[in-house]
Amino acid sequence: MTATQILLLIVAYFVVLILISYFTGKEDSNDAFFKANKSAPWYLVAFGMIGASLSGVTFISVPGAIEAKQFGYLQVVFGYFFGYLVIAYVLLPIYYKLNLTSIYTYLRDRFGTVSYKTGSVAFLISRIVGASFRLFLVAKVLQLLVFDKFKIFDCSIPFSVTVIITIALIWLYTFKGGIKTIIFTDTLQTLFMLISVVVTIVFLASALDLHGVSDIYSNVKESTMSKVFFFEDFKDSQYFIKSFLAGMFITITMTGLDQDMMQKNLTCKNLKEAQKNMISFSVVLIFVNILFLVLGLLLTQYANQHGITAKKDDLFPTIAMLPEIGIVTSSFFLLGLIAAAYSSADSALTSLTTSFCIDIVELDKKPKNIQKKIRKQTHVLISVVLVIVIILFDAIFKDVSVIWELFKAAGYTYGPLLGLFAFGIFTKAQLKDKYVWVIAIIAPILSYLLNKYSVDLLNGYQIGFEILIINGLLTFIGLILIRRK
């Protein structure tokens, strides 16, 4: 595909999203923006959450990591499932009982204002970092495929301009309808993403002389890259128990304690429908991730067979845009990539706006006549912050698999939230609220130092995704030290 064809495809895609926004955003109220008037069908929420959960990072990084990690990521995915059970039957009943708009209001009611603000700030940092990682990856692909090829006065369009355009498009179709619009756009984007994966698998199977599902299954089964379970070395970062528990706690924190993902669940009519959404979503997600792993294996085999040297996050985009792939497969790849990226990023922008308005600005205490104005100003502010952070990432991260960097970052930023909510739910103790923020800073610092020197301190033990559990545990212990006697 030429750069012009790619650009036209992107424009057409966003015309569709803006049309959806037009029809779903007619009611420009804060209640519709934040909670979709609590009228969202659970099955639409569940289907849309697949795309939001996977994002462009999964779309690119999971297939690209097969050669180095094999199918070990599936151990983390199995942990996800049990994490979703905890969310459905422990966290959602609390959120619905308290009728929350922002889930961090729970911390205010349980411990006090400082705990509430600490949890809110932890989420804001976590989600800004997470959303920026996801958008950074997609912006880099768009830069490579489109904007590097367009010249203005003999100069390529800078990456910073690509990022600004990317964020501006998200803002354009979310600024009125908010979460109400996102529920519908995410459904469409998830559909595009799944079609893209299936179409690419079908092409690669044909190119590798694999005919039908049985041939693909046999090929995967016989490949040394399809190893799922790692029990050999407890010190290995991919050891099963470590990966499984990390997946479980990543889900509890990055979904259950995350305003972004929970905001969608809280749009359901009642707790029972929200639980149906969560359970059905968790089952489907296992099979979707298996699809991505199979795709990664076929991509790696195709690259090896054709002498393609692209690795990690460059593998899928490089192969998908080869002339011999054909315009149909390339088009679906681009649609899938854009859909995966924006289904995650649009909800992140909305949830960050929600959390900042409700938790930091305390919008409900402001005069009614300026509440909508504050919400819209916050929406723009968060957009600008995302642009700045993505550009900073471009200067920092080179030749990395973004999904692993994303989970590392989550381990440090979500740990205090895990510790705070666990202490609130599983103990009856009260805290010296004014000291909570100190614990929320010390625990990630100690976790970082432990992770950095773990090989020397722990006889060669490598800390992987379980850094999140360690961080949450250190936070929990710290909170015990400042509990009221």
Side-chain angles (χ1 to χ4, degrees):
M1 292 182 74
T2 66
T4 302
Q5 289 172 325
I6 295 170
L7 191 60
L8 288 173
L9 182 67
I10 293 170
V11 169
Y13 180 79
F14 276 99
V15 167
V16 174
L17 293 186
I18 290 167
L19 282 173
I20 293 173
S21 174
Y22 172 77
F23 289 109
T24 58
K26 289 183 177 180
E27 184 185 349
D28 188 18
S29 68
N30 283 348
D31 194 50
F33 187 95
F34 295 141
K35 297 194 292 185
N37 299 318
K38 277 194 171 294
S39 59
W42 69 267
Y43 46 88
L44 282 184
V45 176
F47 190 70
M49 279 181 66
I50 294 170
S53 175
L54 294 172
S55 80
V57 174
T58 306
F59 194 82
I60 297 295
S61 283
V62 169
I66 292 297
E67 191 168 24
K69 303 287 186 179
Q70 299 165 287
F71 273 31
Y73 181 63
L74 201 54
Q75 299 176 125
V76 180
V77 173
F78 291 144
Y80 289 168
F81 176 78
F82 288 90
Y84 289 124
L85 294 181
V86 173
I87 294 169
Y89 296 106
V90 176
L91 294 177
L92 280 177
I94 294 173
Y95 299 154
Y96 268 86
K97 181 180 179 181
L98 298 175
N99 192 29
L100 302 179
T101 298
S102 167
I103 63 174
Y104 308 112
T105 311
Y106 166 78
L107 298 175
R108 180 190 64 195
D109 299 339
R110 181 67 175 81
F111 299 124
T113 301
V114 174
S115 298
Y116 171 43
K117 299 295 184 183
T118 300
S120 303
V121 170
F123 162 72
L124 288 169
I125 295 171
S126 300
R127 183 47 66 177
I128 286 171
V129 171
S132 297
F133 261 124
R134 292 175 171 96
L135 284 169
F136 162 67
L137 177 61
V138 177
K140 292 291 285 186
V141 173
L142 292 177
Q143 182 72 24
L144 175 68
L145 299 180
V146 182
F147 295 105
D148 276 345
K149 297 176 182 178
F150 281 98
K151 304 290 183 180
I152 299 177
F153 302 114
D154 293 326
C155 295
S156 298
I157 296 174
F159 179 71
S160 57
V161 175
T162 304
V163 174
I164 292 169
I165 293 170
T166 302
I167 299 297
L169 288 170
I170 297 173
W171 178 88
L172 189 62
Y173 73 83
T174 61
F175 82 101
K176 286 186 70 177
I179 195 69
K180 187 176 180 181
T181 295
I182 285 165
I183 287 166
F184 289 93
T185 56
D186 278 5
T187 300
L188 178 67
Q189 291 175 149
T190 298
L191 181 63
F192 278 135
M193 183 193 67
L194 295 179
I195 291 173
S196 171
V197 174
V198 172
V199 167
T200 310
I201 287 175
V202 169
F203 169 82
L204 291 170
S206 176
L208 294 168
D209 201 29
L210 302 173
H211 305 289
V213 175
S214 60
D215 276 6
I216 296 174
Y217 174 77
S218 299
N219 177 61
V220 171
K221 186 178 179 182
E222 293 167 8
S223 173
T224 57
M225 289 183 286
S226 64
K227 181 179 179 181
V228 175
F229 298 106
F230 293 78
F231 294 105
E232 296 82 6
D233 183 6
F234 180 71
K235 296 177 182 178
D236 183 4
S237 61
Q238 283 207 105
Y239 185 73
F240 171 75
I241 294 175
K242 292 160 66 175
S243 296
F244 179 86
L245 290 176
M248 181 175 174
F249 281 93
I250 284 169
T251 293
I252 292 169
T253 52
M254 294 183 71
T255 300
L257 304 182
D258 184 285
Q259 177 66 25
D260 184 350
M261 299 300 285
M262 285 297 97
Q263 191 166 354
K264 293 185 179 72
N265 281 271
L266 296 175
T267 63
C268 294
K269 295 176 183 178
N270 52 53
L271 172 61
K272 186 176 180 181
E273 292 211 347
Q275 288 174 325
K276 283 196 293 186
N277 153 52
M278 185 57 63
I279 297 304
S280 58
F281 158 70
S282 65
V283 173
V284 172
L285 197 62
I286 293 175
F287 293 100
V288 171
N289 274 288
I290 290 173
L291 270 182
F292 275 100
L293 291 167
V294 171
L295 171 62
L297 189 146
L298 296 180
L299 284 167
T300 304
Q301 290 176 331
Y302 186 89
N304 292 338
Q305 191 178 97
H306 291 79
I308 297 169
T309 58
K311 301 291 183 183
K312 296 182 179 179
D313 293 344
D314 293 333
L315 179 64
F316 194 3
T318 299
I319 292 177
M321 301 311 294
L322 291 172
E324 56 267 34
I325 293 296
I327 193 169
V328 173
T329 305
S330 296
S331 297
F332 274 111
F333 161 75
L334 283 168
L335 281 174
L337 173 64
I338 297 165
Y342 285 100
S343 64
S344 174
D346 54 17
S347 59
L349 180 56
T350 302
S351 64
L352 286 165
T353 301
T354 301
S355 182
F356 194 87
C357 286
I358 301 297
D359 303 325
I360 305 300
V361 178
E362 298 186 14
L363 194 64
D364 58 327
K365 296 181 181 179
K366 302 296 180 183
K368 291 280 187 183
N369 61 326
I370 65 168
Q371 287 184 2
K372 189 185 293 186
K373 180 181 179 181
I374 292 172
R375 185 201 84 204
K376 290 184 176 182
Q377 289 174 339
T378 301
H379 204 208
V380 173
L381 172 65
I382 297 296
S383 301
V384 172
V385 170
L386 288 175
V387 168
I388 293 170
V389 175
I390 293 169
I391 292 172
L392 287 174
F393 281 173
D394 185 46
I396 296 170
F397 295 102
K398 306 291 183 184
D399 190 34
V400 296
S401 183
V402 173
I403 192 166
W404 309 108
E405 298 301 320
L406 173 62
F407 286 151
K408 284 180 189 176
Y412 297 113
T413 59
Y414 280 94
L417 278 173
L418 177 60
L420 268 168
F421 273 86
F423 195 90
I425 294 169
F426 297 113
T427 78
K428 295 182 179 180
Q430 285 298 324
L431 298 173
K432 295 175 183 176
D433 186 50
K434 63 181 179 180
Y435 298 118
V436 168
W437 69 273
V438 179
I439 302 300
I441 292 175
I442 292 175
I445 292 173
L446 290 177
S447 300
Y448 172 78
L449 293 173
L450 183 61
N451 185 36
K452 185 175 182 180
Y453 299 108
S454 65
V455 175
D456 296 327
L457 293 174
L458 303 175
N459 193 30
Y461 180 89
Q462 292 181 311
I463 295 176
F465 294 159
E466 73 271 23
I467 191 65
L468 171 62
I469 303 172
I470 294 169
N471 195 359
L473 182 60
L474 289 173
T475 302
F476 193 95
I477 293 169
L479 295 176
I480 292 175
L481 298 177
I482 61 167
R483 72 189 188 279
R484 290 180 187 170
K485 303 295 184 182

